[in-house]
Amino acid sequence: MEKANISGYQLFVLIFLFEMGSALLVPLAGEAKQAAWLVILIAMIGGFLLFFIYYGLFQYYPDQLLTEFVRSILGNFLGRIVAFLYILYFIYLAARVLRDFGETLLTFAYPHIPLFVANAAFILVVVYTVRKGIEVLTRTGELFFVLENLLLMTFFLLIVASGMIHLNNLKPIIEMSGTEMVKMAFTKTIFFPFGEIISFLMIFPYLNEPKRLKKIGISSIAASGIFLAIIMAVNIAVLGVDLTTRSQYPLLSLIQSIEVAGFLERLDVYFLFLLMIGGFIKISVFTYVAVTGTANVFNVKQPSRLAYPVGFVILLSSIIIASSFTEHIHEGLGAVPIYIHLPFQVIIPLLLLIIAFFKNRKRRPAPKEVPERRS
């Protein structure tokens, strides 16, 4: 664990950009059609519940990383196994996101560049930043936070000015039943992107104001969830349900449809900037926690030395993870939520919290009796 401190604002910014990340690219909760934005908000509430599990673990072990306190809870042998599995989980997620952004970059801007070259260029920048430590990553996030918000504000103003918003596309608002929306939110959307905040259990100990973590976590999840719901609602209002759900990148289709005053059009650069910011932050966080966790489990005194080896593993994994982008997406929507996200985001943390509760209750010393004062 490196010697570093980050402020509450920096943590808020990092979580917000991380949650937005690759969720901006895909039609999030697209199967819910006009109710997609409502499903995102329901999943956001589920994200709060998951955060409280992680926050509970942090309260018991505020000075320990995830890979440390699992050994305190489960013992050294079993704890190391679980810690190592989490490292593999973070590497796998980094590889998936790198594949997402590499494929998007090739489809959108550089169709003749090999996927390996695009991913290698991306991961090199990420590894360079990760080597500098969490403080450099959070300061970079602060700059990107301002840029992303300016882009989104300008983007929404242009959408309104172009007169393309048709609120009738959002009707009927509730085509699905409430039970179906809750089921979709808690079986798919909650894991991506909200449940991925479990990676921040490797970053929370660096916060210089631990008492503010609950407020920071809730506000950052709420801000990102509301933004994602608004973006999805705008996608549907402009493009319609069919085009939004069929489009591989609905936000790109939306940006390409902007036309103001007959000359302001083809604003693809907006999408490119959002792509770079989201991909860089999300892959950097996953890479950083994988590097830090590996150093912690294997007692490496200088984690920065592991940045390039871990980055190389992520790069190779992003290429061999699937034979095609179609297969990659199919796995991400089908097997990954149930067989990977559910155990690592919900089942294991919940079991750890239950065990930690009983272990710490037993260790808690009994309160001393205070003798009554005699008058």
Side-chain angles (χ1 to χ4, degrees):
M1 182 173 173
E2 65 174 303
K3 295 180 180 179
N5 282 302
I6 60 175
S7 68
Y9 172 72
Q10 289 175 324
L11 181 61
F12 170 86
V13 165
L14 199 62
I15 295 176
F16 177 84
L17 292 175
F18 175 85
E19 295 282 281
M20 297 288 281
S22 51
L24 285 173
L25 300 181
V26 298
L28 203 60
E31 295 176 9
K33 298 182 179 180
Q34 288 93 340
W37 62 276
L38 275 174
V39 172
I40 294 172
L41 293 178
I42 295 170
M44 180 187 73
I45 296 172
F48 293 151
L49 299 177
L50 290 180
F51 172 75
F52 282 124
I53 295 175
Y54 310 149
Y55 177 68
L57 288 168
F58 173 78
Q59 282 187 305
Y60 283 122
Y61 306 96
D63 300 321
Q64 296 184 27
L65 304 172
L66 168 62
T67 49
E68 287 180 294
F69 67 68
V70 292
R71 286 176 277 169
S72 300
I73 295 173
L74 300 175
N76 190 53
F77 178 73
L78 183 58
R80 279 184 181 274
I81 294 175
V82 174
F84 183 68
L85 289 175
Y86 266 104
I87 293 169
L88 294 179
Y89 176 62
F90 297 141
I91 289 174
Y92 176 74
L93 292 183
R96 285 200 65 85
V97 179
L98 182 60
R99 179 67 177 262
D100 287 336
F101 284 93
E103 292 278 5
T104 304
L105 196 62
L106 264 59
T107 303
F108 164 61
Y110 304 104
H112 303 297
I113 293 180
L115 178 63
F116 182 85
V117 174
N119 287 4
F122 213 120
I123 199 67
L124 277 174
V125 179
V126 167
V127 167
Y128 176 80
T129 306
V130 168
R131 277 178 56 88
K132 299 296 182 181
I134 188 64
E135 291 182 349
V136 171
L137 178 57
T138 53
R139 286 197 293 269
T140 306
E142 287 182 273
L143 295 174
F144 283 163
F145 180 72
V146 175
L147 179 59
E148 181 165 292
N149 278 281
L150 286 173
L151 288 171
L152 289 174
M153 287 173 61
T154 308
F155 163 66
F156 283 123
L157 288 174
L158 290 174
I159 288 290
V160 173
S162 65
M164 296 189 303
I165 296 179
H166 304 289
L167 296 180
N168 287 332
N169 288 338
L170 293 171
K171 298 178 181 178
I173 294 177
I174 306 179
E175 191 175 54
M176 300 177 66
S177 67
T179 305
E180 289 176 321
M181 286 192 291
V182 171
K183 181 180 178 181
M184 181 176 294
F186 279 81
T187 57
K188 292 184 178 180
T189 316
I190 188 175
F191 302 125
F192 169 76
F194 301 107
E196 293 174 335
I197 199 177
I198 190 173
S199 58
F200 280 81
L201 281 173
M202 300 291 293
I203 297 175
F204 289 158
Y206 298 118
L207 181 63
N208 61 8
E209 302 168 286
K211 293 182 180 179
R212 294 184 55 202
L213 178 58
K214 183 193 292 186
K215 184 182 294 185
I216 293 166
I218 292 174
S219 59
S220 56
I221 293 172
S224 58
I226 291 170
F227 260 87
L228 290 172
I230 292 173
I231 290 170
M232 192 61 189
V234 172
N235 280 337
I236 295 172
V238 174
L239 302 175
V241 173
D242 291 337
L243 185 56
T244 299
T245 54
R246 284 189 290 106
S247 176
Q248 194 171 10
Y249 308 113
L251 185 60
L252 175 60
S253 301
L254 179 59
I255 291 174
Q256 289 177 334
S257 65
I258 294 176
E259 182 179 346
V260 179
F263 71 93
L264 190 60
E265 56 185 359
R266 297 296 298 177
L267 302 175
D268 298 3
V269 68
Y270 276 77
F271 182 76
L272 183 61
F273 276 126
L274 291 172
L275 176 71
M276 294 296 104
I277 292 171
F280 173 78
I281 293 296
K282 194 148 194 176
I283 298 169
S284 294
V285 169
F286 282 137
T287 304
Y288 175 80
V289 299
V291 168
T292 305
T294 304
N296 180 256
V297 170
F298 295 101
N299 298 318
V300 178
K301 294 183 178 180
Q302 294 183 341
S304 60
R305 292 182 176 180
L306 298 174
Y308 283 107
V310 171
F312 183 69
V313 172
I314 291 171
L315 174 60
L316 288 183
S317 300
S318 70
I319 302 299
I320 65 175
I321 203 170
S323 59
S324 65
F325 190 53
T326 304
E327 180 184 334
H328 173 69
I329 294 297
H330 181 72
E331 290 176 358
L333 296 176
V336 172
I338 302 300
Y339 297 109
I340 297 179
H341 286 329
L342 181 61
F344 284 100
Q345 293 181 9
V346 182
I347 297 175
I348 296 176
L350 190 57
L351 290 175
L352 290 174
L353 183 60
I354 293 171
I355 297 170
F357 170 77
F358 286 106
K359 290 189 77 168
N360 285 273
R361 189 179 66 171
K362 290 178 181 179
R363 292 178 182 177
R364 190 176 300 162
K368 296 180 181 179
E369 292 185 5
V370 180
E372 297 181 1
R373 293 184 180 180
R374 294 182 180 179
S375 58

